[in-house]
């Protein structure tokens, strides 16, 4: 069925659960934040994730990966969500690995995939430009110039862009007037002339960048696939990204929920444990139901990707919409049920609310995906 | 896995060959649902043939053992049958309280004789059952029920009243909760008994509902004689049977929405037909957003149903998760019908007209309000989740 974990997956889940709880619990994120860490994540953790095979979860064995598929990738994401573990897993092991795997030339695969799998390279996707996710409205432009291209444009929300060894840039190629305009993807060296990168520390203490490209010269072999392949490759990349972010939202939302339940079983007011009040019980039980549905949605999306289902894009959109709403509800109810302490930095629940706020925005929020689902059903 | 694949091909071929065309049409009225029973009047020849063919294969109750009228299949196989039926839009051959509720309870708590006597007629659609649980003073607090059952040595005598007994006026037999002892705590002293609705002293009186229909009754018992062999489980310990039966009832009500959903048009299609599109988008954009949200929730919930059934073993109960399915499925169904009423506007308000099939939608909309009451209210389900799943104190 795919909605129940098989033995390998159950084993991986146990391993990942122990690994992140042990190596990258919430207090590690606090330390990175409080020390204003240069990278915003632990390089040592990233290396260990590589040793565990996590970084190569979507990479074929011939390029040094373990090629375990999307359900496995989702299992890792979920556990990172539970612990708010900071790492370039999403940018590099999910998005970049999928882009290069789906569209890269043999040379590109050979030069990047083994480095992703071994934890040596960090690659960031430079896609979105404005305040909201909008992959249909790219304005960055790559014009033919000699044997290569000249790139102009501004990108925002480039996850891990401040430490990337390469960018995967989505830009328009061809000419609008002549009706040949399409989207293409390029592997670009961040140290190239004309690139300026501003690290943007986000509210979840994780890092993105704003990247400006001003007359950046790039060679012809930087192109991923052919001219115009961008749209098709991006579809795959975004499906993978949306499913992985949904899985991380599931982890973060579940953890926020469970710690709230634990809290209302301890806290006393009016001479009673506050968990005895039906006003809280019913909201908690509603949330339990929603989280069960959220889990089903995530598993269905990951399964669709593993099966290469024709309807994957729509299923991933539904999952992202559902998870955006449910995880948000879990964090908001969590803070509320914690009362005053929920507002303090000392308690973790606020950190979960921040991470969930970021994740629900990435690659389209619930409204974006509801619209997408409606359009794909022709209404 | 390969076994299931072959099985699904076999099922597909058999259904293609045997399911009458008429039984593949969407359900448009109550008469399209086959309840069976002594007095059942088949709405058409196809309805009769379809029920009989399926009963012969044991597929009216696929997971029941063969000796009791089932096909002895696993949950996974049962799901395949459902999926293949859904694929061709096949109607359920037989729906009944015997299948959904009494069957599972007898399989777990009944004696060999009780199973042999009562299960095959349920599977074949020969006997129709009703549920005598609720009383005027025992609704959500079901265990406070008071219908009196006196032990007369070789038989029992029952006196009292039930209420909201669905189809009591059409049912052949009743499974009934009665009080055999009121000296202890309320959960003790309840017994689960079976009797024929034709027994002298049984009198159902239909109650008219907001939908204008009368599908349920007040049911009165005056000196009703019940044989001892018709006591299910242990005397005074009927609450265990009652609770177990409820988990099956709740699972059924929660899942019903999905089944019904697959046989009716998607919400967005209905809305698009009535309201039209504007640049490829439903012209009422506020309603459009609500529909999209609801349809995504429906999808996620149907995945949960599939997942929970895949996790459970054949014939087993989902336990407290049946309360989650019941709560969420019924609330979702109500949301959906609210949106259908929004989408159909003035048309949906017609109560007596051919155009509206005499207010079919409006009446169904009203009926859905009962979904979150019957089988235990939404609030009661949330209490059960709080207590048994979240283990919150005092729940
Ligand atoms: C920003 C901020 C500013 C504040 N400023 C001040 C100030 O200036 N001076 C001051 O004295 N205080 C101040 N407070 C404290 C504030 O009044 C308390 O936080 C508030 O009364 C809740 O109490 P609590 O934090 O102990 O939560 P708790 O009482 O522990 O509540 C925890 C959760 O249980 C719920 N709950 C509790 N009892 C029941 C019940 N009987 N039925 C149902 N649910 C229940 C609550 O609604 C909440 O969701 C401030 C708090 C905040 C967040
Ligand atoms: C369509 C339909 C079909 C039915 N079919 C049958 C049948 O075939 N056989 C049968 O025996 N019964 C049947 N019933 C009865 C049904 O089981 C009861 O109506 C139901 O259990 C609620 O009981 P009540 O009506 O007495 O409401 P009450 O228990 O009086 O509830 C009134 C309100 O109070 C709330 N409430 C009660 N207790 C609590 C609590 N502890 N915490 C929070 N809120 C609470 C309820 O949720 C509800 O909103 C049917 C009902 C309907 C609507």
């Amino acid at each position: 069925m795919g909605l129940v974990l098989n033995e390998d997956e159950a084993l991986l889940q146990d391993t990942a659960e122990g690994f992140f709880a042990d190596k990258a619990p919430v207090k590690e994120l606090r330390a990175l934040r409080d020390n204003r860490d240069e990278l915003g994540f632990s390089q040592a953790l990233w290396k260990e994730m590589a040793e565990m095979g996590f970084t190569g979860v979507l990479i074929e064995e011939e390029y040094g990966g373990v090629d375990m598929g999307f359900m496995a990738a989702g299992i890792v994401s979920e556990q990172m969500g539970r612990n708010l573990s900071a790492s370039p897993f999403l940018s590099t092991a999910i998005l970049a690995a999928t882009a290069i795997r789906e569209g890269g030339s043999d040379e590109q695969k050979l030069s990047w995939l083994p480095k992703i799998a071994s934890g040596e390279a960090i690659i960031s996707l430079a896609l979105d430009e404005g305040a909201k996710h909008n992959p249909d409205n790219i304005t960055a432009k790559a014009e033919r110039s000699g044997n290569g291209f000249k790139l102009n444009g501004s990108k925002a929300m480039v996850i891990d862009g401040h430490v990337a060894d390469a960018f995967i840039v989505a830009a328009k190629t061809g000419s609008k007037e002549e009706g040949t305009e399409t989207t293409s993807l390029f592997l670009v060296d961040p140290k190239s002339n004309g690139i300026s990168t501003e690290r943007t520390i986000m509210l979840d203490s994780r890092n993105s960048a704003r990247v400006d490209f001003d007359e950046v010269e790039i060679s012809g072999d930087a192109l991923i696939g052919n001219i115009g392949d961008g749209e098709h490759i991006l579809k795959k990349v975004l499906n993978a990204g949306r499913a992985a972010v949904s899985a991380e939202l599931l982890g973060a939302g579940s953890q926020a929920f469970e710690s709230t339940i634990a809290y209302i079983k301890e806290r006393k007011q009016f001479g009673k444990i506050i968990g005895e009040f039906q006003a809280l019980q019913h909201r908690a039980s509603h949330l339990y139901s929603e989280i069960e549905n959220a889990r089903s949605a995530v598993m269905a999306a990951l399964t669709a990707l593993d099966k290469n289902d024709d309807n994957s894009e729509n299923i991933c959109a539904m999952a992202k919409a559902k998870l955006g709403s449910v995880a948000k509800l879990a964090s908001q109810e969590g803070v509320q049920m914690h009362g005053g302490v929920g507002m303090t930095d000392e308690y973790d629940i606020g950190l979960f609310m921040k991470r969930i706020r970021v994740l629900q925005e990435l690659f389209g929020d619930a409204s974006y995906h509801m619209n997408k689902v409606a359009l794909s059903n022709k209404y | 896995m390969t076994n299931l694949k072959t099985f699904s091909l076999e099922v597909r071929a058999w259904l293609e060959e045997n399911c009458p065309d008429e039984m593949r049409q969407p359900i448009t009225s109550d008469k399209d649902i086959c309840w069976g029973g002594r007095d059942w009047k088949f709405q058409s020849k196809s309805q009769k043939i379809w029920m009989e063919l399926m009963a012969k294969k044991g597929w009216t109750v696929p997971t029941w053992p063969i000796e009791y009228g089932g096909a002895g299949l696993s949950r996974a196989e049962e799901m395949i049958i459902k999926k293949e039926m859904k694929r061709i839009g096949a109607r359920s051959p037989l729906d009944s309280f015997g299948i959904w509720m009494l069957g599972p309870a007898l399989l777990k708590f009944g004696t060999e004789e009780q199973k042999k006597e009562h299960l095959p007629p349920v599977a074949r659609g020969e006997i129709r059952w009703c549920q005598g649980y609720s009383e005027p003073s025992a609704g959500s607090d079901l265990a406070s029920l008071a219908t009196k059952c006196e032990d007369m040595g070789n038989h029992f005598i029952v006196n009292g009243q039930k209420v909201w007994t669905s189809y009591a006026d059409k049912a052949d037999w009743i499974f009934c909760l009665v009080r055999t002892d009121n000296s202890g705590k309320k959960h003790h002293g309840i017994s689960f008994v079976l009797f024929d609705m034709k027994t002298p002293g049984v009198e159902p009186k239909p109650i008219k509902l907001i939908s204008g229909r009368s599908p349920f009754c007040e049911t009165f018992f005056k000196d009703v004689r019940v044989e001892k062999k018709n006591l299910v489980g242990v005397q005074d310990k009927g609450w265990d049977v009652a609770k177990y039966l409820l988990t099956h009832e709740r699972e059924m009500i929660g899942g019903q929405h999905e089944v019904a959903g697959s046989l009716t048009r998607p919400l967005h299609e209905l809305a698009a037909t009535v309201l039209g599109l504007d640049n490829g988008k439903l012209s009422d954009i506020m309603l459009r957003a609500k529909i999209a949200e609801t349809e995504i929730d429906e999808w996620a919930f149907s995945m949960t149903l599939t997942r929970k059934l895949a996790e459970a073993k054949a014939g087993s109960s989902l336990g407290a998760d049946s309360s989650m399915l019941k709560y969420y499925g019924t609330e979702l169904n109500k949301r959906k019908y609210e949106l259908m009423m929004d989408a159909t506007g003035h048309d949906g308000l017609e109560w007596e007209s051919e155009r509206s099939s005499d207010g079919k939608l409006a009446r169904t909309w009203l009926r859905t309000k009962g979904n979150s009451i019957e089988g235990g209210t939404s609030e009661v389900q949330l209490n059960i989740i709080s207590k048994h799943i979240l283990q919150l104190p005092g729940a």
Side-chain angles (χ1 to χ4, degrees):
Chain A
M1 220 67 244
L3 293 175
V4 182
L5 295 184
N6 67 30
E7 249 175 69
D8 287 348
E9 290 160 353
L11 195 70
L12 173 67
Q13 186 175 48
D14 280 351
T15 310
E17 191 176 346
F19 179 87
F20 289 106
D22 184 32
K23 311 271 178 179
V26 179
K27 73 175 191 322
E28 292 298 319
L29 178 72
R30 288 180 181 280
L32 292 166
R33 178 193 68 175
D34 297 344
N35 302 333
R36 303 191 61 80
D37 189 89
E38 279 289 302
L39 300 177
F41 63 89
S42 153
Q43 192 62 257
L45 174 76
W46 186 234
K47 285 275 184 253
E48 280 188 86
M49 286 174 68
E51 277 157 31
M52 298 293 290
F54 296 159
T55 50
V57 68
L58 295 180
I59 294 173
E60 286 138 309
E61 286 173 23
E62 55 177 311
Y63 298 112
V66 293
D67 204 12
M68 281 185 72
F70 288 99
M71 185 62 82
I75 288 169
V76 174
S77 297
E78 182 185 344
Q79 295 307 322
M80 294 181 65
R82 275 193 172 271
N83 294 286
L84 302 182
S85 312
S87 89
F89 185 74
L90 175 63
S91 61
T92 303
I94 303 286
L95 302 170
T98 303
I100 297 170
R101 180 179 176 151
E102 290 298 328
S105 63
D106 288 348
E107 273 129 81
Q108 286 167 337
K109 287 184 187 173
L110 262 177
S111 55
W112 291 109
L113 294 180
K115 283 194 192 153
I116 295 177
S118 64
E120 287 165 82
I122 291 167
I123 307 181
S124 297
L125 177 69
L127 167 65
D128 279 316
E129 300 176 352
K132 299 295 281 188
H133 175 62
N134 192 355
D136 298 330
N137 199 17
I138 294 166
T139 63
K141 190 121 187 65
E143 278 168 297
R144 282 276 180 203
S145 158
N147 286 335
F149 299 86
K150 204 185 285 166
L151 182 63
N152 280 289
S154 294
K155 296 288 180 178
M157 203 69 214
V158 179
I159 304 168
D160 300 324
H162 63 307
V163 288
D165 299 296
F167 294 134
I168 292 175
V169 183
K172 289 290 176 200
T173 43
S175 143
K176 205 175 205 159
E177 293 77 51
E178 292 166 23
T180 57
E181 195 180 72
T182 50
T183 302
S184 301
L185 297 181
F186 300 90
L187 265 162
V188 179
D189 182 350
K191 291 191 283 293
S192 314
N193 283 335
I195 297 184
S196 52
T197 302
E198 179 199 347
R199 173 181 181 184
T200 48
I201 299 178
M202 304 311 254
L203 70 84
D204 57 350
S205 307
R206 304 286 287 271
N207 293 271
S208 282
R210 287 182 182 271
V211 185
D212 290 333
F213 300 88
D214 182 20
E215 301 282 292
V216 178
E217 298 282 355
I218 48 180
S219 67
D221 56 15
L223 183 65
I224 300 181
N226 295 310
I227 289 288
D229 281 356
E231 244 154 78
H232 149 80
I233 302 168
L234 270 178
K235 263 195 181 135
K236 299 259 180 184
V237 172
L238 288 175
N239 284 347
R242 286 163 186 159
V245 170
S246 297
E248 192 174 341
L249 279 164
L250 174 64
S254 305
Q255 184 59 40
F257 173 65
E258 286 163 29
S259 50
T260 301
I261 297 298
Y263 183 77
I264 68 172
K265 283 181 182 174
E266 274 171 19
R267 171 75 174 161
K268 270 193 170 165
Q269 285 290 281
F270 301 101
K272 283 183 175 174
I273 305 266
I274 58 172
E276 289 182 55
F277 299 122
Q278 199 177 52
L280 300 191
Q281 289 180 344
H282 281 193
R283 279 153 58 196
S285 296
H286 172 73
L287 196 49
Y288 166 80
S289 312
E290 286 290 19
I291 289 175
E292 284 293 312
N293 291 323
R295 175 170 301 282
S296 312
V298 168
M299 293 185 85
L302 296 167
T303 304
L305 292 179
D306 278 330
K307 287 208 276 193
N308 212 358
D309 192 307
D310 291 341
N311 201 21
S312 290
E313 189 176 349
N314 196 37
I315 293 176
C316 290
M318 290 196 284
K320 183 69 192 1
K322 184 73 188 167
L323 268 292
S325 314
V326 173
K328 245 175 20 178
L329 182 67
S331 63
Q332 288 163 9
E333 288 285 60
V335 169
Q336 177 64 20
M337 292 191 199
H338 273 78
V341 298
M343 292 294 292
T344 64
D345 186 60
E346 185 190 335
Y347 275 72
D348 287 344
I349 188 72
L351 295 177
F352 280 91
M353 184 153 79
K354 292 177 188 175
R355 179 65 180 155
I356 287 169
R357 181 32 82 179
V358 172
L359 289 169
Q360 63 84 37
E361 187 67 44
L362 289 182
F363 314 125
D365 61 11
S367 304
Y368 175 90
H369 287 291
M370 276 157 50
N371 181 51
K372 192 172 163 66
V373 169
L375 289 176
S376 80
N377 283 297
K378 303 196 171 54
Y379 70 96
Chain B
M1 215 51 200
T2 44
N3 283 348
L4 289 183
K5 254 209 175 106
T6 349
F7 181 71
S8 103
L9 290 175
E10 280 166 25
V11 172
R12 184 174 293 193
W14 189 88
L15 288 173
E16 280 297 354
E17 195 176 320
N18 291 287
C19 182
D21 274 347
E22 206 188 313
M23 293 296 108
R24 303 184 194 194
Q25 305 310 313
I27 287 176
T28 57
S29 86
D30 280 352
K31 292 198 198 91
D32 294 345
I33 299 168
C34 177
W35 289 96
R38 284 177 196 141
D39 303 326
W40 183 250
K41 285 185 191 57
F42 288 99
Q43 166 228 26
S44 67
K45 231 176 155 168
S46 305
Q47 192 182 53
K48 181 166 191 281
I49 291 170
W50 180 225
M51 185 194 87
E52 287 173 357
L53 278 172
M54 287 290 275
K56 216 168 143 199
K57 287 211 67 106
W59 286 2
T60 51
V61 287
T63 61
W64 292 11
I66 295 168
E67 62 267 37
Y68 308 132
L73 299 179
S74 65
R75 279 250 197 192
E77 288 165 323
E78 182 185 33
M79 274 165 72
I80 287 174
I81 298 179
K82 281 199 184 140
K83 202 167 134 197
E84 288 300 324
M85 285 173 63
K86 191 169 163 177
R87 200 181 63 83
I88 59 167
R91 291 181 190 167
S92 165
L94 178 64
D95 286 326
S96 80
F97 288 22
I99 293 177
W100 298 323
M101 304 180 212
L102 179 69
L106 275 190
L107 283 169
K108 188 168 164 84
F109 293 95
T111 61
E112 187 56 30
E113 272 131 54
Q114 287 170 337
K115 292 182 205 173
K116 282 219 175 93
E117 180 183 350
H118 296 296
L119 295 178
V122 167
R124 291 192 298 261
E126 291 162 5
I127 293 292
R128 182 172 178 180
W129 289 82
C130 64
Q131 177 185 31
Y133 272 37
S134 306
E135 297 177 7
S137 298
S140 296
D141 185 12
L142 179 61
S144 66
L145 61 94
T147 292
K148 196 167 145 200
C149 179
E150 268 177 291
D151 191 337
M152 311 301 284
N154 64 344
H155 67 277
F156 297 111
I157 291 290
V158 174
N159 276 289
Q161 185 200 337
K162 294 288 168 182
V163 71
W164 319 128
T165 328
S166 297
Y167 308 111
D169 52 338
K170 299 190 175 67
D172 306 312
W173 277 67
I174 186 168
F175 50 91
C176 196
L177 294 179
V178 293
R179 186 155 293 285
T180 35
D181 180 11
N182 59 12
S183 63
K185 283 195 173 163
K186 65 181 179 182
H187 294 99
H188 174 84
I190 293 171
S191 297
F192 189 106
V193 295
L194 314 172
F195 51 92
D196 194 317
M197 290 295 281
K198 290 218 170 76
T199 315
V202 178
E203 195 191 348
K205 284 198 183 139
I207 304 170
K208 190 170 173 182
L209 299 189
I210 48 179
S211 63
R213 298 192 179 121
S214 304
F216 55 36
C217 301
E218 292 178 284
T219 312
F220 298 91
F221 308 122
K222 190 162 184 298
D223 294 332
V224 176
R225 181 187 165 110
V226 176
E227 300 310 322
K228 282 243 158 137
K229 66 168 181 141
N230 288 333
L231 169 75
V232 179
V234 181
Q235 187 166 330
D236 293 337
K237 298 225 160 92
W239 186 244
D240 293 339
V241 186
K243 268 195 312 190
Y244 180 79
L245 182 143
L246 280 173
T247 63
H248 282 273
E249 178 178 8
R250 286 165 186 162
E251 179 188 329
M252 182 279 297
I253 298 174
Q256 206 175 34
H257 160 69
E258 234 254 301
V259 177
S262 70
L263 298 174
T264 52
R265 272 203 302 178
L267 183 49
H268 69 259
E269 259 181 53
L270 174 76
T273 316
V274 181
L275 303 171
L277 299 181
D278 187 1
N279 269 324
K281 294 182 180 173
L282 196 65
S283 59
D284 182 338
I285 55 168
M286 298 305 201
L287 182 63
R288 176 177 182 263
K290 290 184 197 164
I291 291 177
E293 188 174 34
T294 300
E295 290 193 339
I296 290 169
D297 284 347
E298 282 188 287
W299 166 77
F301 179 64
S302 77
M303 291 297 124
T304 298
L305 276 173
T306 311
R307 181 164 70 85
K308 291 289 169 186
L309 291 178
E311 285 169 3
K313 296 201 181 61
S316 67
S317 144
L318 294 178
D321 260 339
S322 63
S323 290
M324 182 269 288
L325 298 178
K326 203 270 171 184
Y327 161 67
Y328 203 89
T330 56
E331 293 296 337
L332 193 54
N333 206 32
K334 288 199 298 183
R335 254 166 75 192
K336 177 174 159 178
Y337 272 88
E338 284 297 333
L339 293 177
M340 282 163 89
M341 290 300 284
D342 288 347
T344 52
H346 300 153
D347 296 353
L349 303 176
E350 285 189 16
W351 190 251
E352 293 183 18
S353 69
E354 218 178 287
R355 208 176 303 102
S356 67
S357 310
D358 274 341
K360 170 88 185 6
L361 175 61
R363 288 172 205 265
T364 312
W365 162 68
L366 288 164
R367 176 62 183 84
T368 62
K369 300 304 174 201
N371 295 158
S372 52
I373 300 171
E374 62 198 312
T377 66
S378 282
E379 290 76 15
V380 165
Q381 306 313 318
L382 292 170
N383 288 344
I384 292 172
I385 296 170
S386 297
K387 180 172 179 175
H388 293 285
I389 297 178
L390 304 180
Q391 300 184 330
L392 290 169

